[in-house]
Amino acid sequence: MRIKIMKDKHISLRLDEIEYKRIIKFADLANMSVSSYLRTAALSKEVKPRFSSVEKAYFQNLSAIGNNINQLTKYYNAKNGAVDNLTHQKLINTLDHLDNLVSKLLNYGS
């Protein structure tokens, strides 16, 4: 004998017309009630945060590096391509840092 579990809790959500029609269509295609379809879809999917705190830190670093590269490029262009050794070394260091961060991002989670 199968025990029936009471489903007496409910969640409401707002949808626009297109979202509503898509859910109705998908439930119909799955030969399920809308409730069953949404329950199955919601509980069988793992929701991953957009970015972890580590990824956010990497992106903030990449943004700062991008700003540095823009500043160096403006300086370089203002000098008609002639820069001193210190500026050249800053550019090399910035590019090395960028390469390191990109490698870490590509290897993150693997």
Side-chain angles (χ1 to χ4, degrees):
M1 184 167 136
R2 193 170 152 173
I3 299 173
K4 185 166 176 139
I5 299 173
M6 285 293 293
K7 294 184 170 112
D8 60 348
K9 305 294 180 204
H10 103 301
I11 296 173
S12 71
L13 69 144
R14 296 184 187 278
L15 304 168
D16 63 29
E17 188 67 26
I18 293 170
E19 294 168 331
Y20 177 78
K21 286 181 179 179
R22 286 185 68 197
I23 289 172
I24 299 296
K25 176 184 164 190
F26 291 148
D28 188 48
L29 288 173
N31 198 25
M32 300 170 82
S33 69
V34 173
S35 292
S36 293
Y37 173 78
L38 288 173
R39 188 179 311 107
T40 302
L43 296 175
S44 66
K45 301 280 183 184
E46 180 183 338
V47 177
K48 183 179 176 186
R50 290 187 181 189
F51 298 113
S52 70
S53 59
V54 172
E55 290 167 325
K56 283 182 184 178
Y58 286 148
F59 286 120
Q60 287 170 341
N61 263 319
L62 284 171
S63 178
I65 290 169
N67 290 336
N68 289 345
I69 290 173
N70 284 339
Q71 290 171 357
L72 288 169
T73 302
K74 284 181 183 179
Y75 180 81
Y76 182 78
N77 288 332
K79 298 290 184 179
N80 294 322
V83 295
D84 56 71
N85 286 338
L86 179 62
T87 303
H88 180 76
Q89 191 56 48
K90 283 182 180 180
L91 179 58
I92 297 299
N93 290 343
T94 301
L95 292 173
D96 286 343
H97 192 136
L98 176 61
D99 187 49
N100 187 18
L101 281 173
V102 169
S103 293
K104 284 182 181 180
L105 274 174
L106 291 174
N107 293 323
Y108 183 74
S110 9

